[in-house]
Amino acid sequence: MAHSCPPERLQAALDDVVSRMAARVRRGKVADYIPPLAEVDPQQFGIAVALNDGSVHVAGDADAPFSIQSVSKVFSLTLALGQVGDGLWKRVGREPSGNAFNSIVQLEHEKGIPRNPFINAGAIMVADVLLAGHKPRETIGEILHFVRALAQDDSITIDPLVARAEKATGFRNVALANYMKSFGTLDNEPEMVLGVYFHQCAMAMSCRQLAQAGGFLANGGRNPLTGFSVVAPERARRINAIMLTCGHYDGSGDFAFRVGLPSKSGVGGGILAILPGTASIAVWSPGLSEQGNSLLGTDALEFLSRRMGWSVF
Ligand code: DON
């Protein structure tokens, strides 16, 4: 369903969000387990809305690049579905986990098949599917190329410092990959698969670029900027369904309750939210909640969804 969205009303709402968020004192805690993320200024806040008519509306630090981290899992999932189709669901489930993003406990019960493609184990499995015997460099290049094409912006890059820091500190991810390998569910060598995963997480994008890249999910699978089909409408619906149920890990229920939009968070403080039929929204504030989701980003989306009457429910 398309929602009506007069540009002046939207811009006034975005400007209001930015001034409300600027006044906030409690801004959450920036992720510090990856050193370059710990250095990001928590006062920053940006928001961008890409409408299905191709227009983009922004406020605050909407053009500042940030580490998209787990938001990248939406793009790698889309790419993997394009490559292997529904066969992907033999390798990874599609149920919410109710656990933290980097939890290892369910993997034992589920014999090395991750619950969903957005928890770390699931995204590592998706990276394994994408790798499929290629060199990690080639697969990383393919993911970057895909995201640039979605956003129609070739200036998007991978931050090598963040990628290196992910590798240096990613002990749990190493454990998850090795654990899946021990069950025989991971095809490629864990080190190669993690090379892909760490680099996709290290993509740096602004809110404007991220909102543009998510546009196909709001527009029935078609990129609003080019008119080209990225995925079939049914696949866009399904990716949105997984974002709604699994996009915020053990905070997914609360996010659906408060905001009511399919979305995906990252520990860099970014959130991509989709209003099917109308808009792709990217918000960024580096401070995180206990569950590792952007504190102000979630508050901002809750405010915007109420003010604009935007919800899938
Ligand atoms: O695997 C990690 O630790 C990170 N590179 C990505 C985690 C992330 O963004 C989780 N989402 N909230």
Side-chain angles (χ1 to χ4, degrees):
M1 185 187 82
H3 288 65
S4 83
C5 192
E8 310 75 38
R9 197 173 146 231
L10 175 58
Q11 192 60 52
L14 296 180
D15 291 341
D16 197 8
V17 169
V18 167
S19 52
R20 279 166 190 260
M21 294 305 140
R24 290 281 296 271
V25 179
R26 280 187 55 244
R27 306 183 74 86
K29 196 170 163 294
V30 294
D32 54 8
Y33 74 103
I34 301 171
L37 298 187
E39 289 160 19
V40 178
D41 173 7
Q43 292 304 319
Q44 297 174 94
F45 178 90
I47 188 161
V49 175
L51 296 177
N52 282 358
D53 65 7
S55 63
V56 184
H57 307 263
V58 302
D61 300 309
D63 287 303
F66 60 90
S67 191
I68 68 163
Q69 293 288 317
S70 287
V71 184
S72 66
K73 295 169 182 174
V74 175
F75 306 120
S76 60
L77 169 65
T78 306
L79 206 50
L81 282 168
Q83 289 187 3
V84 299
D86 286 338
L88 184 71
W89 304 119
K90 293 196 184 79
R91 308 280 312 274
V92 64
R94 42 180 196 250
E95 289 294 342
S97 71
N99 284 320
F101 68 93
N102 54 6
S103 169
I104 200 165
V105 290
Q106 263 164 355
L107 264 186
E108 180 164 22
H109 297 297
E110 297 175 354
K111 300 189 170 47
I113 307 278
R115 264 288 167 109
N116 68 63
F118 291 158
I119 51 173
N120 282 13
I124 292 168
M125 186 63 86
V126 169
D128 185 56
V129 169
L130 289 175
L131 193 54
H134 293 101
K135 292 196 171 71
R137 197 176 349 108
E138 293 167 343
T139 304
I140 294 161
E142 192 183 1
I143 298 171
L144 181 61
H145 179 78
F146 181 58
V147 171
R148 284 176 170 175
L150 289 176
Q152 287 291 287
D153 191 332
D154 282 345
S155 70
I156 296 167
T157 52
I158 291 173
D159 184 333
L161 280 181
V162 175
R164 219 170 299 142
E166 302 263 359
K167 184 168 191 244
T169 59
F171 303 109
R172 271 185 188 237
N173 289 321
V174 172
L176 290 166
N178 279 300
Y179 205 35
M180 290 190 281
K181 190 73 181 170
S182 79
F183 279 104
T185 54
L186 205 70
D187 289 343
N188 299 277
E189 285 309 311
E191 199 186 337
M192 306 281 172
V193 180
L194 289 169
V196 173
Y197 174 72
F198 290 143
H199 280 83
Q200 73 173 67
C201 288
M203 261 187 289
M205 292 171 80
S206 65
C207 288
R208 184 193 298 272
Q209 292 166 331
L210 190 57
Q212 290 180 181
F216 74 102
L217 291 169
N219 194 37
R222 218 169 260 285
N223 186 329
L225 300 171
T226 63
F228 291 132
S229 170
V230 180
V231 296
E234 183 184 53
R235 181 157 291 161
R237 272 204 303 276
R238 289 177 158 179
I239 295 169
N240 282 327
I242 298 169
M243 289 171 76
L244 185 83
T245 52
C246 310
H248 291 249
Y249 315 105
D250 44 341
S252 297
D254 191 57
F255 191 90
F257 183 84
R258 291 176 56 197
V259 180
L261 296 175
S263 72
K264 181 75 205 82
S265 64
V267 292
I271 304 177
L272 172 65
I274 305 297
L275 178 66
T278 305
S280 164
I281 308 152
V283 63
W284 170 57
S285 170
L288 307 178
S289 67
E290 299 265 298
Q291 282 111 343
N293 303 311
S294 176
L295 185 70
L296 266 54
T298 305
D299 291 353
L301 285 168
E302 183 176 21
F303 174 80
L304 186 70
S305 66
R306 274 206 188 153
R307 169 127 168 203
M308 298 299 292
W310 284 358
S311 166
V312 295
F313 300 107

